[in-house]
Amino acid sequence: MPHDHHHHDDDHHDHDHSVLPSDPALRVKALETVLTQKGLIDPAALDAIIDTYQNRIGPQNGARVVARAWSDPAFRARLLADATEVVAEMGLYGRQGEHIVAVENTPDTHNIVVCTLCSCYPWPLLGIPPGWYKSDAYRARAVREPRAVLAEFGVTLAEGQAVRVWDSTAELRYLVIPMRPEGSEGMDEDALMALVTRDSMIGTGLARAPT
Amino acid sequence: MTRVHDMGGRWGDGAIPVNPDEPVFKEAWHARALAVTLAAGGLGQWTLDASRHARELLGTMDYTRFSYYEKWLAALADLLVARGIVTRAELAAGQGDGISPLAPRRLTADAVPAVLARGGPTDRASAATPRFAAGDRVITRRPARNIHVAGGHTRLPAYAAGVPGTILSCHGAHVFPDTNAHGLGEAPEPLYTIVFRATDLWGSAENPRDEVTADLWQSYLDPAP
């Protein structure tokens, strides 16, 4: 337990982190220095982690899954039945994406994903979550007033469409399969990928219409 | 009962801070904070559930005023001291005092791709038959709380406590965060996706057909009366 002190858990003035510098950039630097000097972290490993999430893993991964689901009915059926296995075959298994569930938007139901308790998000498919996804406002409001939240993203749902909000409270990570936009008939997978936005795979956006 | 992180359904947080041009890491130190946290987690001295709980244990005022990665950093510092890996004096000085006995466990750069690709799956083999099946009506525990540790970690949000719902799917047995966060073992339990009617959660809803789901462990649930 992190707080086996004589005082109560919530006596936050005495938390160990309070001895660190108040400027967050200096706080990171202090932690990194202490841990490096103690032989506990390798600065080159930090660079490798940052490179992974800055340059290698991002929404293009999820977009590839969606574009294929739009193009290939057998793939789509397998994805909806067992997304973890299907994305693993595509090399998209990894940390914070060990158990993937794909949910499909239809004219009847629009899906939207949130993590009210922290910031759970399908990292191998979408990368690091955007700031708004981790904000108090999104975490607090998405479950109670998803339509008001969607309106702030410029999304208005079709009449008759119900909303299903997925609160990621366990290690399941959700990928929304947006509806394939009209006018995209005949487009190949690469062209379709360009229509799939990050927000459309969280449910706070729709796929782009082809231009 | 609940802590400040458990904010689903809360009023008063204002507009969503949408920024379409936001880079992956808004500040260089954000990237560093993420990487230090992941690398320190790689030492294997705490579970993901314990690190979540360390963030939840931040005081209400700290949790509210800290930005996202500041929460990570504060929780990391607290965990490092609580586990005896780093001393409070070392943190205060910003200098490490000697090589740690855990140094051989250090995550090296060449191991990063494999470690990130391997992840940490939480499903576990279990011979136990799940108590519920898809379509069953259940009701969630109320109040939402950890029944093993007062004020401890739980993944039943307060807004979904004491609410009737329907089992949408069963995902087999998963590590139980309520014990695992506190060093009480993985104690795997069947994990279900429960679908709630928005009107049952909130009294009134934007649309009566709207629903919210949550992924909940079996011991949070009873058959609906």
Side-chain angles (χ1 to χ4, degrees):
Chain A
M1 294 229 2
H3 289 275
D4 294 335
H5 303 317
H6 61 279
H7 60 268
H8 191 261
D9 269 356
D10 299 317
D11 182 6
H12 61 91
H13 300 294
D14 199 25
H15 276 188
D16 294 310
H17 65 78
S18 64
V19 303
L20 287 165
S22 60
D23 178 285
L26 296 178
R27 220 175 299 164
V28 183
K29 193 71 208 156
L31 272 170
E32 187 178 336
T33 301
V34 170
L35 291 170
T36 302
Q37 288 173 343
K38 294 184 75 64
L40 292 170
I41 59 172
D42 170 6
L46 304 190
D47 294 337
I49 292 168
I50 293 166
D51 176 58
T52 302
Y53 293 112
Q54 190 146 267
N55 304 315
R56 296 173 196 278
I57 295 183
Q60 69 278 9
N61 291 357
R64 189 147 59 88
V65 176
V66 171
R68 193 165 297 175
W70 283 347
S71 311
D72 178 347
F75 177 90
R76 172 184 159 274
R78 288 184 59 223
L79 182 72
L80 292 172
D82 185 354
T84 307
E85 184 179 287
V86 172
V87 303
E89 287 169 11
M90 296 173 71
L92 302 177
Y93 181 90
R95 184 190 170 86
Q96 290 295 313
E98 294 89 346
H99 309 283
I100 301 283
V101 175
V103 296
E104 184 181 49
N105 287 346
T106 66
D108 187 63
T109 305
H110 181 86
N111 296 284
I112 166 173
V113 182
V114 64
C115 172
T116 62
L117 297 175
C118 45
S119 52
C120 297
Y121 191 74
W123 288 20
L125 298 176
L126 301 184
I128 301 293
W132 60 258
Y133 186 86
K134 303 178 282 199
S135 70
D136 287 4
Y138 186 73
R139 289 168 55 188
R141 295 176 55 209
V143 282
R144 187 195 285 270
E145 44 177 5
R147 291 165 188 266
V149 167
L150 287 171
E152 287 175 32
F153 283 87
V155 174
T156 311
L157 298 180
E159 198 159 331
Q161 226 177 356
V163 174
R164 182 177 272 181
V165 185
W166 300 79
D167 189 357
S168 307
T169 51
E171 300 311 320
L172 309 182
R173 297 290 177 271
Y174 290 93
L175 178 74
V176 174
I177 310 296
M179 284 197 284
R180 182 169 175 164
E182 285 179 28
S184 65
E185 300 78 10
M187 290 173 73
D188 67 13
E189 248 181 69
D190 285 344
L192 288 171
M193 267 182 73
L195 306 180
V196 185
T197 64
R198 176 195 65 201
D199 290 1
S200 74
M201 295 181 279
I202 306 172
T204 55
L206 307 177
R208 286 191 190 103
T211 48
Chain B
M1 277 173 61
T2 177
R3 291 180 184 273
V4 63
H5 72 280
D6 185 3
M7 61 183 70
R10 185 172 75 186
W11 298 107
D13 285 285
I16 313 294
V18 182
N19 172 8
D21 302 318
E22 182 185 80
V24 175
F25 297 111
K26 206 164 145 196
E27 309 281 349
W29 71 264
H30 291 181
R32 225 63 200 161
L34 175 122
V36 170
T37 303
L38 263 55
L43 295 167
Q45 301 304 296
W46 52 77
T47 62
L48 178 63
D49 296 306
S51 70
R52 279 202 188 112
H53 189 54
R55 290 170 202 150
E56 295 166 5
L57 281 177
L58 295 175
T60 304
M61 286 165 65
D62 277 351
Y63 194 97
T64 303
R65 73 189 170 94
F66 282 170
S67 63
Y68 183 71
Y69 288 112
E70 287 180 278
K71 296 185 186 80
W72 280 38
L73 290 175
L76 174 61
D78 291 343
L79 273 173
L80 287 167
V81 176
R83 302 296 158 101
I85 300 165
V86 164
T87 65
R88 190 172 165 121
E90 286 175 314
L91 287 186
Q95 296 291 321
D97 183 13
I99 295 291
S100 165
L102 293 171
R105 307 189 65 131
R106 181 178 75 154
L107 175 66
T108 53
D110 59 316
V112 165
V115 165
L116 296 182
R118 191 163 61 235
T122 56
D123 54 335
R124 296 290 181 269
S126 170
T129 308
R131 186 179 182 193
F132 304 109
D136 286 358
R137 292 284 291 166
V138 294
I139 187 159
T140 52
R141 169 182 295 153
R142 178 175 182 277
R145 67 197 186 282
N146 184 317
I147 61 167
H148 304 281
V149 178
H153 184 62
T154 188
R155 298 295 286 180
L156 173 60
Y159 77 83
V163 182
T166 304
I167 305 275
L168 199 61
S169 52
C170 179
H171 305 282
H174 279 245
V175 172
F176 187 45
D178 299 39
T179 52
N180 198 43
H182 299 284
L184 300 175
E186 293 194 338
E189 284 188 14
L191 174 71
Y192 304 91
T193 300
I194 316 295
V195 60
F196 302 98
R197 294 170 45 195
T199 48
D200 287 337
L201 292 169
W202 314 117
S204 64
E206 290 177 313
N207 183 303
R209 289 184 58 219
D210 291 352
E211 298 171 327
V212 177
T213 77
D215 300 323
L216 303 175
W217 279 261
Q218 181 162 283
S219 61
Y220 300 164
L221 307 171
D222 277 314

